[in-house]
Amino acid sequence: MTKHMTMKTPPIVSRQEWDAAREKMLVKEKATLRAKDALAAERRRMPWMEVDKAYVFEGPNGKASLLDLFEGRRQLIVYRAFFEPGVYGWPDHACRGCSLGADQVGHLAHLNARNTTLAYASRAPQADIARLKARMGWEMPWYTITDSFDKDFGVDEWHGHNVFIHDGDRVFRTYFINSRGDEQMGTVWSYLDATPLGRQEIWEDSPEGYPQTPLYSWWNWHDNYEAGADKKWAEVAAAGEAAFRDKGE
């Protein structure tokens, strides 16, 4: 017979008691959410560090600079994934933790719509990266590190997300997330909150002059961003934003 581990479970209560307990917890959850919003606002005011070294990557189309990784967008997030000789799973798989994170990455069209590119980087050759992506169903751009990029940005021995912005040909490092911080990454919100421009919505506390649009107005189906403005959706979004403000969210 199967033995079951004895667990000290919470009490069983009525619907009314459960609702009351949930409302009490919701107060703490909303406070945590507000704290995260405030932290993201501070992150948008972090100083920038100019990248003055010319890094070279290998991509599916040949050599690429760090600026090339932006793919024409303003912001760039580079995740250092461990896929190379010496890593457990090689050559069939990347690091299990990095792979778990890759499985959580949402559709990139939404991130791209906010002028932001997500790219992965490893030391494996491009042929192996292409084979891995096909096997695992991953679609993010993935480059081969050829120089000291990983060491210079704190990801030569451990995974991490480096965040960049560019102004013309000048590239700046704006933030770095690693260790347990990587656990939260994967949704469009987690990525945008890590960037210097944020979600770019009018409710955010951002420095003067930062790009911002009304809440919900830019949301779209991932296969419909090319279609442009949608008058009906603009009306729905405006009503949703009004309800959002009325609820004090």
Side-chain angles (χ1 to χ4, degrees), residues 23 30 36 70 79 83 88 92 111-112 117 132 144 159 165 198-199 201-202 217-218:
E23 286 298 324
K30 286 190 175 184
K36 288 183 177 180
F70 283 80
Y79 176 70
F83 179 49
Y88 181 76
D92 297 322
L111 200 57
N112 297 163
T117 298
L132 177 70
T144 301
H159 53 81
I165 194 170
R199 302 185 186 191
E201 295 177 339
I202 57 175
S217 65
W218 67 275

Side-chain angles (χ1 to χ4, degrees), residues 78-82 84 98 121-123 145 150 155-156 159-160:
V78 179
Y79 176 70
R80 199 310 193 194
F82 279 82
E84 58 208 54
C98 298
S122 301
R123 286 201 168 269
I145 300 168
D150 49 1
V155 288
D156 54 325
H159 53 81

Side-chain angles (χ1 to χ4, degrees), residues 102-152:
D103 282 338
Q104 298 179 61
V105 175
H107 202 289
L108 297 178
H110 307 296
L111 200 57
N112 297 163
R114 284 330 239 178
N115 216 4
T116 304
T117 298
L118 172 70
Y120 271 42
S122 301
R123 286 201 168 269
Q126 277 297 296
D128 292 300
I129 289 174
R131 172 179 50 78
L132 177 70
K133 289 176 62 178
R135 172 176 181 163
M136 303 300 287
W138 296 330
E139 297 184 356
M140 70 284 286
W142 199 320
Y143 297 88
T144 301
I145 300 168
T146 68
D147 47 31
S148 62
F149 175 85
D150 49 1
K151 184 176 181 180
D152 293 348

